[in-house]
Amino acid sequence: MTTVLRGCDLVDGRGTEPRRGVDVVVEGDTVREIVEPGNGDYPSAEVVDAAGMLVIPGLINNHTHGTAYGPLFPSGHEPLPLQQVNANLDRHLLEGTTAVLCVDGFITAEAVARTDEAHPVNVKAASCNTPACLEAAIVADGGGLTEENKAFTARQAVAEGAVALGEIGAGHTLGGGGASYLYIPEEIARRTGVRVTAWQANQLKIAVLGRHITTSAFDRDAVEEALAGANLTGKLSVEDAREIVSGVVLPAFDIALRGLAEAAEQARELDVPVLVHNAAASMTQVAAIARTDVRLIAGHSNHPSFTPREALDHAAWLKERGVVIDVSILDTFGGGRPDLGPELLYAMFEAGLVDTISTDYAAGHHDPILLAIDRATKAGVVGLPAAIAMATSTVADTFPGLAPRRGRIVPGAVADLVVTDPAALDDVRTVMIGGRIVVREGRRVTG
Ligand SMILES: [Zn+2]
């Protein structure tokens, strides 16, 4: 079976300048050649008219949650229903992503294989099952962990196909986003019947424990203000709020911090990269790991818990020590969050700090990677070929087992291709995985 994407502009993932008006010829599951139009003769080929369209490699997303059947997050939360996992994968696919690294961390190899089989997106796993990370998960949540999940150690996971350790530490065990959008609102609702937003919970968290999560940061006036902002005045006292936030965040926190060093040591032994939760609360530990010789990926280095200056300086320091600097799109563009706009992301691009681009989860509301690339290139803070490489070839090179022979459109590569509108990059039209068209006209092909 031969398919020709005809007359497209091509950004091939290697970071080099676009080629205009070429044909991409796919044979079986492989890119066979890239030719000037009319220079190849493929009488029996299926021709996809891609004139005026942009072809890029399928994106490889190194930071996803809820993309495999099993406990959600590195806190071992109750699994999402299978349909929701499939819907999450559909969404990644329709956004142009053809391979994902699920960093939930406790999913068995068998469950990852089952997910991978059920959906065209290639799903690989990272494991966070080291003793301290497991303990932190059980203290923070652990509600979705079966005995099998608990017993499935990082060592075993790597032996059975996990390509990295990660996410080590997470918003759910390190007092980050997961505490703000999940556990703090749950506990407040249980006590008061009031459902606070993630933003309100986050304000309360910062008032009680600060951005770096320390008990000495407690600020009574700020707690009162946060309670008023969440319509909780009279329903919760300052001491109640302090107890709730501390009770959610602190028990797992120190254990999870210990887990960072422990997991880095195991990753070094197992010879796989380790992806860590890089945020204000964990930055000291992340810096300590950067001094060792493990292959380290600093996940979501644009985390909103950092001040912009702090994020930029920290990322520059890490990068000098060979750490891969990942940025996560989160809900930067569509979330309307007061604490998260594109400024820091843009500043990191402009400073040349970014190595890889992922989405992370953002309570299930992440924006498409291609939307971020569209906006960032239009803002002039990064060039298109460089930005596409950050979401394709660099990710494949950083995680060698994640997407072998993928991430570049060159002869001999696996044909994971995206056809999109150059004027609106997130308007993905066609997606091909392993030479098979799985999205046409922006819709998932079924059957
Ligand atoms: Zn995280």
Side-chain angles (χ1 to χ4, degrees):
M1 171 75 196
T2 305
T3 309
V4 178
L5 305 182
R6 176 142 293 166
C8 63
D9 291 346
L10 176 69
V11 169
D12 66 11
R14 295 184 296 178
T16 47
E17 282 308 301
R19 295 176 64 180
R20 306 286 174 199
V22 294
D23 290 354
V24 177
V25 182
V26 173
E27 208 164 63
D29 68 351
T30 305
V31 176
R32 176 168 160 174
E33 58 181 340
I34 294 136
V35 293
E36 304 300 321
N39 283 8
D41 187 21
Y42 304 97
S44 62
E46 174 180 357
V47 174
V48 176
D49 178 14
M53 301 301 275
L54 178 71
V55 171
I56 59 173
L59 306 184
I60 304 165
N61 187 341
N62 74 56
H63 195 137
T64 70
H65 297 283
T67 48
Y69 306 149
L72 183 64
F73 306 130
S75 58
H77 191 61
E78 196 180 309
L80 294 173
L82 301 192
Q83 306 90 291
Q84 185 59 52
V85 172
N86 292 340
N88 290 349
L89 287 168
D90 274 349
R91 182 163 151 204
H92 283 294
L93 176 62
L94 294 170
E95 292 172 357
T97 297
T98 53
V100 296
L101 182 64
C102 176
V103 297
D104 284 334
F106 289 109
I107 301 180
T108 62
E110 179 274 320
V112 173
R114 212 155 18 90
T115 317
D116 195 33
E117 203 133 289
H119 200 281
V121 167
N122 286 296
V123 180
K124 291 275 164 61
S127 173
C128 71
N129 201 341
T130 69
C133 295
L134 175 62
E135 190 188 341
I138 291 169
V139 169
D141 184 329
L145 294 176
T146 62
E147 289 311 312
E148 198 190 356
N149 296 131
K150 290 180 192 169
F152 192 66
T153 62
R155 220 167 275 285
Q156 195 182 345
V158 169
E160 296 183 26
V163 301
L165 298 199
E167 180 184 6
I168 307 302
H172 309 79
T173 55
L174 280 171
S180 300
Y181 67 68
L182 190 61
Y183 300 128
I184 294 171
E186 266 176 11
E187 184 58 17
I188 291 175
R190 201 180 63 77
R191 300 233 196 153
T192 66
V194 177
R195 236 312 129 184
V196 302
T197 65
W199 165 249
Q200 290 165 339
N202 200 52
Q203 293 302 97
L204 210 50
K205 186 184 76 190
I206 293 170
V208 174
L209 293 170
R211 290 184 304 109
H212 295 96
I213 312 292
T214 46
T215 50
S216 61
F218 178 73
D219 179 340
R220 181 171 297 276
D221 293 344
V223 175
E224 269 172 13
E225 204 177 300
L227 285 172
N231 295 315
L232 288 168
T233 308
K235 298 194 176 81
L236 282 182
S237 69
V238 169
E239 283 312 314
D240 290 337
R242 184 180 199 171
E243 186 212 319
I244 289 172
V245 171
S246 303
V248 165
V249 173
L250 294 180
F253 187 75
D254 287 335
I255 309 169
L257 284 185
R258 189 149 48 74
L260 282 164
E262 180 187 85
E265 182 55 31
Q266 278 207 14
R268 205 180 54 74
E269 283 169 26
L270 295 168
D271 195 25
V272 290
V274 57
L275 183 145
V276 298
H277 175 87
N278 185 29
S282 59
M283 64 188 289
T284 308
Q285 281 71 19
V286 172
I289 297 169
R291 292 194 174 91
T292 71
D293 62 353
V294 72
R295 278 178 288 154
L296 175 62
I297 298 92
H300 49 58
S301 296
N302 57 323
H303 197 272
S305 65
F306 289 121
T307 65
R309 191 68 264 158
E310 194 177 44
L312 291 161
D313 290 349
H314 182 51
W317 188 92
L318 292 172
K319 198 177 172 79
E320 267 171 40
R321 279 148 190 87
V323 176
V324 173
I325 305 299
D326 175 68
V327 292
S328 290
I329 302 310
L330 303 165
D331 48 350
T332 292
F333 297 93
R337 286 165 55 168
D339 64 335
L340 183 63
E343 297 78 15
L344 175 56
L345 183 68
Y346 288 178
M348 294 191 71
F349 279 127
E350 259 189 317
L353 291 169
V354 179
D355 294 305
T356 64
I357 308 174
S358 62
T359 55
D360 200 356
Y361 192 65
H365 305 302
H366 69 83
D367 294 319
I369 289 173
L370 286 174
L371 175 70
I373 293 179
D374 188 77
R375 299 284 175 86
T377 50
K378 283 173 180 161
V381 294
V382 64
L384 181 65
I388 296 295
M390 291 168 192
T392 56
S393 62
T394 309
V395 187
D397 295 347
T398 299
F399 298 88
L402 173 55
R405 286 174 56 222
R406 297 175 139 102
R408 291 171 176 84
I409 303 177
V410 293
V414 175
D416 289 2
L417 308 171
V418 171
V419 182
T420 191
D421 181 349
L425 294 177
D426 54 316
D427 189 5
V428 169
R429 309 312 303 161
T430 306
V431 181
M432 184 182 267
I433 298 184
R436 196 160 63 90
I437 293 178
V438 291
V439 173
R440 273 182 207 275
E441 296 307 317
R443 296 194 125 96
R444 170 84 195 271
V445 177
T446 48

mmCIF file of all heavy atoms in Angstrom, residues 63 167 169-171 277 300 360, ligand 1:
data_model
loop_
_atom_site.group_PDB
_atom_site.id
_atom_site.type_symbol
_atom_site.label_atom_id
_atom_site.label_comp_id
_atom_site.label_asym_id
_atom_site.label_seq_id
_atom_site.Cartn_x
_atom_site.Cartn_y
_atom_site.Cartn_z
ATOM 1 N N HIS A 63 4.703 13.994 28.500
ATOM 2 C CA HIS A 63 4.111 14.194 29.834
ATOM 3 C C HIS A 63 2.590 14.172 29.724
ATOM 4 O O HIS A 63 1.952 15.201 29.493
ATOM 5 C CB HIS A 63 4.590 15.518 30.440
ATOM 6 C CG HIS A 63 4.340 15.625 31.911
ATOM 7 N ND1 HIS A 63 5.272 16.124 32.793
ATOM 8 C CD2 HIS A 63 3.275 15.279 32.676
ATOM 9 C CE1 HIS A 63 4.785 16.091 34.026
ATOM 10 N NE2 HIS A 63 3.553 15.593 33.976
ATOM 11 N N GLU A 167 6.231 10.087 36.415
ATOM 12 C CA GLU A 167 6.640 11.380 36.891
ATOM 13 C C GLU A 167 7.021 11.214 38.358
ATOM 14 O O GLU A 167 6.212 10.704 39.148
ATOM 15 C CB GLU A 167 5.504 12.409 36.746
ATOM 16 C CG GLU A 167 5.897 13.812 37.232
ATOM 17 C CD GLU A 167 4.737 14.803 37.177
ATOM 18 O OE1 GLU A 167 3.585 14.395 36.861
ATOM 19 O OE2 GLU A 167 4.976 15.987 37.466
ATOM 20 N N GLY A 169 7.564 12.543 41.895
ATOM 21 C CA GLY A 169 6.913 13.670 42.537
ATOM 22 C C GLY A 169 5.837 14.104 41.573
ATOM 23 O O GLY A 169 5.904 13.819 40.378
ATOM 24 N N ALA A 170 4.832 14.750 42.051
ATOM 25 C CA ALA A 170 3.771 15.248 41.180
ATOM 26 C C ALA A 170 3.010 16.266 41.985
ATOM 27 O O ALA A 170 3.181 16.361 43.200
ATOM 28 C CB ALA A 170 2.841 14.116 40.750
ATOM 29 N N GLY A 171 2.165 17.009 41.280
ATOM 30 C CA GLY A 171 1.340 17.976 41.988
ATOM 31 C C GLY A 171 0.493 17.333 43.073
ATOM 32 O O GLY A 171 0.059 17.994 44.003
ATOM 33 N N HIS A 277 8.996 16.073 38.512
ATOM 34 C CA HIS A 277 8.096 17.215 38.721
ATOM 35 C C HIS A 277 8.959 18.396 39.158
ATOM 36 O O HIS A 277 9.453 18.430 40.281
ATOM 37 C CB HIS A 277 7.085 16.825 39.801
ATOM 38 C CG HIS A 277 6.158 17.915 40.231
ATOM 39 N ND1 HIS A 277 4.966 18.168 39.586
ATOM 40 C CD2 HIS A 277 6.229 18.805 41.251
ATOM 41 C CE1 HIS A 277 4.353 19.170 40.199
ATOM 42 N NE2 HIS A 277 5.095 19.576 41.205
ATOM 43 N N HIS A 300 7.714 20.165 33.043
ATOM 44 C CA HIS A 300 7.002 21.458 33.179
ATOM 45 C C HIS A 300 7.826 22.517 33.893
ATOM 46 O O HIS A 300 7.434 23.035 34.938
ATOM 47 C CB HIS A 300 5.616 21.305 33.804
ATOM 48 C CG HIS A 300 5.535 20.490 35.078
ATOM 49 N ND1 HIS A 300 6.245 20.806 36.187
ATOM 50 C CD2 HIS A 300 4.809 19.386 35.388
ATOM 51 C CE1 HIS A 300 5.956 19.934 37.138
ATOM 52 N NE2 HIS A 300 5.095 19.060 36.675
ATOM 53 N N ASP A 360 1.230 17.882 29.807
ATOM 54 C CA ASP A 360 0.761 17.586 31.162
ATOM 55 C C ASP A 360 -0.776 17.524 31.122
ATOM 56 O O ASP A 360 -1.374 17.426 30.038
ATOM 57 C CB ASP A 360 1.307 18.589 32.178
ATOM 58 C CG ASP A 360 1.261 18.047 33.628
ATOM 59 O OD1 ASP A 360 0.741 16.933 33.838
ATOM 60 O OD2 ASP A 360 1.736 18.750 34.547
HETATM 61 ZN ZN ZN B 1 3.981 17.433 37.629
#
